[in-house]
Amino acid sequence: MGLEYVDLYLIHWPFKFQEEFKFPIPHECIAPIDIKAVWEGMEECQNLGLTKSIGVSNFSSKRIKQILSFAKIPPAVNQVEMNPLWQQKTLNKLCKENDILVTAYSPLGAVGNSGWGHNRVMECDVLHKIAKSKGKTVAQISLRWLYEQGVSIAVKSFNTERMKQNLDIFDWSLTEEELNKIDQIPQRKLIYLIGSMVTEHNDVMAEIDADLD
C-alpha cells in the first residue's frame, strides 16, 4: 500500500480461505481460523506501529467474548451489518460495555448493490411514515437512528445531493415515540454466508450464521 502504517486493521470474517476460489466458494476451501493465534498477530502489528488500532468485522457476541477472554489489546471496532431492520441490540450492548465501537455497514440496506443489496430499509413503511411527518428522507431517518445508537456509520453515495442529505442529520432528533416504533420493526438480517458465499453446506459457515445476534 506504500504506507508506513494504517489507522485501523480488521479481521474481515472469522474464517479463512484455503486456496484461490470463484463464487460460489467450494465448501472444501473454507476453514476456521485459530482466532487466538490470529489475534496475537494483530496485536503484534499494533505493537510494531504498523497500525494505530485493531479490530474485527462480522463478529458475533460469542466471538467477541472469545477474543476478550485472552486479548491483551481488545478490539477497537466491530464492523457489522446494522440498520433499523437489523438492529444488533445484543451485540451493540456487549460492545459498548467493553469499549468496542460498532461500525454499521449497509445502513440503508446497500440498495443499488446488485450483488447482495436490498430495498427493504428504503421501502419500510414505518420509516416512510416517520420521514413524512418530520420532512426528512427515509435515508436520513435510518442514519439518524444509527447515530442515536452511538455507532459509527459507513455510508456510500456517488450522488452529491444525497451526500449532503446524509450529513444533514445532526441538528434534529427522533422522538421517544418514533424510536419505539423503530424498535418494533420486524428484524431480518440480509447477509447469511450460506446462500450468498456458498451454496453447499459448510460447518464453519453454518456455525457463524447460527451465532448471529
Side-chain angles (χ1 to χ4, degrees):
M1 293 172 64
L3 302 173
E4 294 181 2
Y5 69 90
V6 295
D7 290 318
L8 178 64
Y9 190 38
L10 304 180
I11 302 173
H12 197 161
W13 288 99
F15 61 83
K16 65 181 179 181
F17 300 124
Q18 308 242 61
E19 55 187 76
E20 292 186 13
F21 62 87
K22 295 181 179 180
F23 286 100
I25 305 167
H27 67 90
E28 65 271 12
C29 292
I30 302 160
I33 59 175
D34 181 342
I35 188 60
K36 188 172 188 297
V38 171
W39 192 251
E40 287 173 350
M42 298 287 284
E43 291 177 330
E44 182 66 8
C45 286
Q46 183 165 335
N47 289 333
L48 290 171
L50 300 176
T51 180
K52 296 289 187 180
S53 300
I54 52 177
V56 295
S57 181
N58 301 299
F59 271 53
S60 64
S61 295
K62 176 182 176 181
R63 294 174 190 277
I64 290 291
K65 290 176 182 177
Q66 183 183 3
I67 287 183
L68 292 174
S69 70
F70 54 71
K72 295 177 182 176
I73 303 174
V77 169
N78 185 18
Q79 179 177 285
V80 295
E81 177 192 349
M82 186 177 177
N83 54 59
L85 274 68
W86 186 242
Q87 298 180 12
Q88 298 272 31
K89 293 179 182 179
T90 301
L91 179 62
N92 193 26
K93 181 175 182 292
L94 173 69
C95 288
K96 283 183 177 180
E97 291 171 350
N98 290 278
D99 294 321
I100 300 170
L101 177 66
V102 169
T103 294
Y105 70 74
S106 297
L108 307 178
V111 62
N113 186 321
S114 59
W116 49 268
H118 65 85
N119 297 329
R120 292 195 296 273
V121 174
M122 300 302 290
E123 294 176 352
C124 176
D125 287 341
V126 173
L127 299 179
H128 268 278
K129 289 176 181 177
I130 295 173
K132 184 177 181 180
S133 70
K134 298 185 83 69
K136 302 295 181 181
T137 67
V138 172
Q140 287 173 323
I141 299 300
S142 181
L143 295 175
R144 178 67 200 190
W145 177 83
L146 285 162
Y147 177 72
E148 293 188 19
Q149 307 312 302
V151 305
S152 61
I153 309 168
V155 66
K156 180 179 73 173
S157 177
F158 297 104
N159 182 290
T160 302
E161 185 58 35
R162 291 196 191 114
M163 292 178 187
K164 293 176 181 177
Q165 291 174 0
N166 291 343
L167 289 170
D168 186 20
I169 63 169
F170 301 110
D171 60 353
W172 55 276
S173 60
L174 296 165
T175 67
E176 185 174 346
E177 181 183 3
E178 290 164 344
L179 290 170
N180 287 335
K181 288 179 180 178
I182 293 173
D183 281 346
Q184 295 169 26
I185 294 174
Q187 296 297 286
R188 180 182 173 189
K189 180 174 174 59
L190 169 65
I191 301 173
Y192 284 95
L193 298 176
I194 295 179
S196 59
M197 287 195 177
V198 297
T199 54
E200 300 177 77
H201 179 81
N202 176 274
D203 289 341
V204 175
M205 290 192 166
E207 181 183 356
I208 292 170
D209 282 344
D211 284 345
L212 296 172
D213 300 294

